[in-house]
Amino acid sequence: MEELNVGCITFIYESLYCLVTRCHGFHVVSPHRSVSYVLSMASTAFLLLIFCYYIVDVKQWWSGAPFYQAGMNSIFLYVGSEVLHGYLPWTWQAYTESHAEYLAMHLWGTSLWLILAAYMHSAKIYFVL
């Protein structure tokens, strides 16, 4: 379980870094590409990887869907999202410029791409290099 060790080590480094960089103790991690941000995201990613490995591969409680189907056509999804960015039905012009509207728009677009990936997987259509 090297990922668990790396996740715990990066979390400890991030915690220690946050403690020694401020005079008044622990501070909020800034998302401005700082060392604390990179270490906290790395530790979160490694711990999430361990969690997914445990529930998918070890206990087999979850099949990995819809991420499995999206992974089978990841090149198509990447190219499609880059080419069709800004077009209906994936995105639209934001009217209120609010966080809620952007969240709804991006959840809608992601859901459409996942539905398309699931359909392509069921039809056994795959794009490979």
Side-chain angles (χ1 to χ4, degrees):
M1 299 297 262
E2 295 86 17
E3 291 86 4
L4 182 60
N5 293 335
V6 172
C8 291
I9 289 170
T10 54
F11 178 75
I12 291 169
Y13 283 162
E14 185 267 334
S15 300
L16 292 174
Y17 181 79
C18 287
L19 286 175
V20 298
T21 56
R22 292 285 188 173
C23 298
H24 304 293
F26 198 78
H27 68 91
V28 177
V29 175
S30 172
H32 297 292
R33 303 290 192 258
S34 63
V35 174
S36 62
Y37 177 75
V38 170
L39 289 173
S40 65
M41 292 298 106
S43 65
T44 303
F46 278 116
L47 295 176
L48 185 61
L49 177 66
I50 288 297
F51 175 72
C52 288
Y53 169 74
Y54 183 74
I55 65 171
V56 172
D57 292 333
V58 174
K59 290 295 184 179
Q60 297 180 349
W61 290 338
W62 178 43
S63 66
F67 304 116
Y68 177 75
Q69 289 86 354
M72 295 297 288
N73 271 319
S74 58
I75 295 171
F76 176 78
L77 295 181
Y78 174 74
V79 172
S81 66
E82 287 294 318
V83 170
L84 297 175
H85 177 72
Y87 292 99
L88 280 172
W90 284 273
T91 58
W92 56 84
Q93 179 66 37
Y95 296 107
T96 61
E97 301 281 331
S98 68
H99 178 74
E101 184 177 11
Y102 281 114
L103 178 64
M105 179 172 54
H106 293 304
L107 284 175
W108 173 256
T110 303
S111 300
L112 286 178
W113 284 114
L114 288 175
I115 290 169
L116 183 61
Y119 170 75
M120 291 175 69
H121 181 68
S122 68
K124 295 187 181 2
I125 301 171
Y126 303 108
F127 289 91
V128 295
L129 293 179

